[in-house]
Structures are given as C-alpha cells and as structure tokens.
Amino acid sequence: MKKYVMVYDENLCIGCQACSVACRNENHVPNGYHKLKVRGRINGEFPKLSMDFKRQSCEMCADAPCVSVCLTEAMFKTADGVTLIDQKKCIGCKYCILACPYDALYLQDDGKVGKCTFCYDNRVKAGKDPSCVTVCPTNALVFGDIADKKIQKEMKKSGFYLPKEKLGTKPALGFIANKK
C-alpha cells in the first residue's frame, strides 16, 4: 500500500507563488482563500538582506487532530495517508480548524471547511503529481510514495525535519531546513 508524502526544500524555494496559483486554479479556490501559502520573511539588515520562504498547508498527519475531533466523521484519512473532507458530511462546526496545530484549515463561503488535499481526487488518483509540484520552477517540492527512492533521498538530506514533530501528529509533509 502506498503512503504519500511531500518534501519541501526551503533552500530551493524562490517565493514565486507558482504553487499557490496552480493550486487555486486546479482546485477552483475562490479569492480570499488559500489551500497553501508561501510566506516570505526578510532577514538581515540593509544592505545585507535575504529572504526565507516557508510553505504552509495541510501536513497530512498520520495522527491528525482534525480527524479525531470531527463530530460527523467528515474529516477522514485515506488508506494511502491523505487527509480529506467529505463536504456532504461537514457541518462547519470548526472543531477541526481549532484542533489543527498547523493553521492549515479554513471556513469557506458555503460554511464548510477547506484545506489542501494534495490534489488527491483530481490528480493523484490518476497517477499525477499535485499541481503545486508540477509547476515549481526550482523543484523545491517532491511528491510520492514514502518507499520511492526519490522520496527516500530527499528525506536523508541534511536539514530534513518534520514540523512540530514533538506534537506526535506524524506529518507527511517534511521540510529541508534553509541553510542560509
């Protein structure tokens, strides 16, 4: 059985927002909402300035707090590790939003919860990478089965970490720390 993971290399990201635009287009995300964000932070003092970029989206936790608090079981895990929302069951109670330690969920205009899905239904099930991965001009994103050699190689790189690992959520979105 596959277990999907994604690795985001902070050293390769240039903050171009192509991933965010591709996500919005692929998933028909309305203005004002974001399934993923790339945030920039300025470091240093003028004239020696640099920028760091961080991806913020659903971490696809193996032990997802959003799933465990969902009253209607609208939030669920697929067999291959992706956290999804059954929009027909969601009542918009916001418990999942409050439970998420990654600030990755939001309330949509229809009163239901939205989040990153790794483009599961519209791309991954068809054997394609998520839209954010396909458009990244620097290959800062790598996606696949945790057993794949390309994923294993990324996870062995210096600086690889899982965000907020001490919480025990076991995220499936790992990062390679910025070395700057």
Side-chain angles (χ1 to χ4, degrees):
M1 171 60 59
K2 288 186 178 210
K3 182 176 184 300
Y4 291 114
V5 296
M6 184 180 288
V7 178
Y8 167 71
D9 191 332
E10 296 172 357
N11 299 285
L12 297 177
C13 181
I14 58 173
C16 69
Q17 302 296 332
C19 57
S20 183
V21 172
C23 173
R24 296 177 67 72
N25 186 54
E26 179 75 31
N27 298 293
H28 311 289
V29 180
N31 288 335
Y33 299 102
H34 305 276
K35 290 185 179 226
L36 76 89
K37 298 176 188 173
V38 176
R39 300 181 184 270
R41 186 182 70 188
I42 299 172
N43 298 312
E45 292 184 28
F46 185 80
K48 295 181 180 180
L49 298 173
S50 66
M51 294 272 308
D52 288 337
F53 299 101
K54 299 266 187 205
R55 177 189 171 105
Q56 180 184 356
S57 69
C58 179
E59 303 288 325
M60 304 296 171
C61 305
D63 292 329
C66 60
V67 172
S68 63
V69 301
C70 185
L71 299 172
T72 63
E73 298 180 352
M75 191 77 69
F76 66 98
K77 298 291 296 179
T78 64
D80 41 17
V82 179
T83 307
L84 297 176
I85 303 169
D86 182 340
Q87 293 292 317
K88 293 177 184 147
K89 290 182 177 180
C90 181
I91 59 172
C93 67
K94 303 181 205 160
Y95 284 157
C96 57
I97 293 172
L98 294 170
C100 177
Y102 302 99
D103 194 25
L105 305 159
Y106 61 92
L107 200 60
Q108 304 172 132
D109 285 339
D110 64 1
K112 299 185 184 229
V113 175
K115 62 176 262 336
C116 170
T117 63
F118 279 171
C119 297
Y120 188 75
D121 286 328
N122 46 340
R123 295 188 61 84
V124 171
K125 283 168 71 175
K128 301 175 183 175
D129 283 340
S131 60
C132 59
V133 175
T134 63
V135 300
C136 183
T138 62
N139 297 315
L141 296 168
V142 178
F143 178 82
D145 182 15
I146 196 164
D148 289 349
K149 288 181 182 181
K150 69 177 181 177
I151 294 292
Q152 289 295 316
K153 180 181 175 185
E154 293 297 312
M155 293 173 72
K156 289 178 182 172
K157 285 186 177 177
S158 173
F160 178 81
Y161 71 97
L162 297 172
K164 300 183 182 181
E165 189 171 17
K166 66 181 181 231
L167 298 177
T169 59
K170 301 178 193 134
L173 174 59
F175 292 69
I176 298 173
N178 195 327
K179 297 173 187 167
K180 296 176 189 172

